[in-house]
Amino acid sequence: MQAISVQARSNAAPDRVWEPLADTASWADWAPFDEAELESAGSPEPQGVGAVRRFRHGRRETRERVVAFEPPRHFAYELLSGLPIRDYRADVTLEPADGGTTIRWESRFRGKFPVPAALVKPALERFVRRTAEGVARAAERSA
C-alpha cells in the first residue's frame, strides 16, 4: 500500500474552502483538469455521498465516487476508473488554523498489475499537491 500526505494552507475559512471543494464543476477552474462534471448525484446532497464525478486531464479520464461528505470539515472519494492503480481512497480534511484553513489531503492506493504503485506515486503526489494548493487559492479568491 502506498500513501500520499499533502498539506496546504489557505487564508480563507474552512467554509470558504469547502465551497469549491464540494462543487465538482468548479474543479476544472482551480485543479489540473480540463473538464469536471457530476455524472450522477449523491443523496441527500447531489455532490455528497454516492455522487459519481468524472474528470478529464488531457486524454485521461477518471471517475470517482464520493464516500464521505461532512461540511465543512471532511470530504473523501474513491477512484472507480482511469488510473493504473486500485483501492485508491483520498480523504480531505479542513481544519481552522490562524484565521485560515489547513488542508490535509491524504491518499492511499495499491498498484495494478503490471504497474507497481511506487512508479505511479511521484506523479500522483505532484498532482495531489497542485490540487490542494488550487483549492486553497480558489477559496481565497472567492472570500
Side-chain angles (χ1 to χ4, degrees):
M1 176 78 63
Q2 294 289 314
I4 295 170
S5 183
V6 169
Q7 186 171 307
R9 177 152 188 347
S10 178
N11 291 325
D15 60 327
R16 300 300 270 183
V17 178
W18 181 264
E19 290 173 15
L21 181 66
D23 177 19
T24 303
S26 77
W27 284 52
D29 297 332
W30 53 263
F33 292 112
D34 300 315
E35 292 178 7
E37 70 177 14
L38 187 63
E39 186 175 293
S40 62
S43 178
E45 296 284 333
Q47 302 280 343
V49 173
V52 175
R53 307 168 335 141
R54 186 189 69 79
F55 299 98
R56 187 179 61 77
H57 177 74
R59 293 184 316 194
R60 182 172 302 279
E61 184 175 288
T62 57
R63 293 174 63 245
E64 306 168 348
R65 177 177 294 118
V66 176
V67 295
F69 192 84
E70 303 160 15
R73 300 284 188 257
H74 179 226
F75 180 79
Y77 58 92
E78 295 175 343
L79 182 73
L80 298 176
S81 63
L83 295 175
I85 57 177
R86 61 187 174 91
D87 303 329
Y88 180 92
R89 178 182 167 124
D91 284 87
V92 184
T93 306
L94 308 179
E95 300 172 358
D98 301 321
T101 305
T102 297
I103 303 160
R104 296 184 201 289
W105 206 298
E106 298 177 332
S107 305
R108 42 193 189 283
F109 60 95
R110 298 180 191 282
K112 188 180 211 179
F113 184 80
V115 180
L119 288 180
V120 176
K121 183 178 178 180
L124 191 53
E125 188 166 13
R126 282 190 302 276
F127 194 86
V128 168
R129 185 173 310 285
R130 284 181 59 198
T131 304
E133 289 292 337
V135 75
R137 302 298 74 83
E140 291 171 354
R141 286 190 299 274
S142 72

